Amino acid sequence: MPPVRDIVLVHGGFVDGSGWRGVYDELTWDGLRVHIVQNPTRSLADDIRTTRRVLDRLDGPAVLVGHSYGGAVISEAGHHPNVTSLVYVTGFAPDRGESVHALIPGAPAPPILPPVEGFLLLDREQFPGWFAADLPDQVAAFMADSQVPWGVDALRGPVAEPAWRHRPSWYLLATEDRMIPPPAQRRMAERAGSTVVEVIGSHAVHISQPAAVADLIRQVAAG
């Protein structure tokens, strides 16, 4: 497979695409064309459509990357003909008929507050320790205070047919993740037949270690 020039990055729940800035800088420095999907995270179906619109604009093959809930998005959007491969960054990789809600561990469960008008937030005080334990305190506090409400319909939206059944995939496993425990990450990666790369990091590993995340994406793009 010839090298791929386009990289499409999909963010997860509670955050927006700005978290990809470090990865973006690493990859564009190498001459790759990087596209950040800004999903509203209101519903899985809407986020899939938003991601596909970004893919529609490309004039060649792309590596599709998803962090956290973004893994569910790429699992369906990855059927797009421009997608050559998938990269999960400590992401959910649902199978047929599964939602992110079905894959969230039972205990200890992340400190997600009860829904308000159909949207979810993480407890502000617990956000740093659960989501961003390896980031500076000020950065983690800013992320906690700038959360994007995550729609219940996004959390509960099922994947019809996972693209990882039809595309090669890679999985970056964050060994210190509390939002998606490493054993759950490993189970999903093994089920998807993904090539696994382990990095010591939190759920926000794409922010704390952008070079490691970019290195994996770079290798996948090189073919």
Side-chain angles (χ1 to χ4, degrees):
M1 186 176 68
V4 174
R5 294 179 58 207
D6 287 291
I7 312 296
V8 177
L9 305 176
V10 182
H11 65 82
F14 305 121
V15 296
D16 66 13
S18 63
W20 288 113
R21 178 59 191 269
V23 175
Y24 174 94
D25 289 345
E26 290 277 344
L27 295 175
T28 54
W29 178 262
D30 291 334
L32 293 167
R33 299 189 303 191
V34 182
H35 314 267
I36 311 293
V37 180
Q38 289 285 17
N39 277 323
T41 65
R42 295 190 185 97
S43 73
L44 179 62
D46 188 34
D47 294 337
I48 291 165
R49 286 191 293 269
T50 301
T51 302
R52 288 182 65 89
R53 283 196 292 271
V54 173
L55 292 164
D56 286 341
R57 297 199 300 266
L58 305 184
D59 58 6
V63 175
L64 185 58
V65 183
H67 170 254
S68 190
Y69 160 73
V73 177
I74 72 170
S75 291
E76 190 79 49
H79 291 290
H80 193 285
N82 283 340
V83 175
T84 63
S85 49
L86 307 169
V87 178
Y88 293 87
V89 178
T90 184
F92 291 101
D95 204 346
R96 293 187 185 104
E98 286 183 341
S99 66
V100 168
H101 180 264
L103 295 171
I104 288 178
I112 300 174
L113 299 174
V116 176
E117 297 182 354
F119 289 92
L120 303 163
L121 291 170
L122 279 177
D123 180 89
R124 185 205 176 277
E125 300 302 323
Q126 298 187 65
F127 186 103
W130 280 81
F131 197 104
D134 56 353
L135 291 177
D137 291 344
Q138 285 186 314
V139 175
F142 176 81
M143 292 175 65
D145 285 331
S146 62
Q147 291 182 62
V148 178
W150 188 12
V152 171
D153 288 343
L155 186 77
R156 296 184 180 276
V159 167
E161 173 68 13
W164 49 255
R165 291 185 177 274
H166 311 281
R167 301 282 193 277
S169 64
W170 284 255
Y171 198 107
L172 188 141
L173 188 155
T175 61
E176 305 302 315
D177 194 339
R178 296 186 68 193
M179 295 294 293
I180 310 177
Q185 295 181 54
R186 186 168 283 106
R187 285 194 298 271
M188 289 186 288
E190 290 176 352
R191 181 174 66 176
S194 304
T195 300
V196 177
V197 173
E198 294 192 15
V199 174
I200 300 173
S202 74
H203 193 62
V205 66
H206 61 308
I207 302 174
S208 63
Q209 298 191 56
V213 176
D215 187 55
L216 173 58
I217 297 170
R218 193 181 295 116
Q219 292 177 36
V220 175

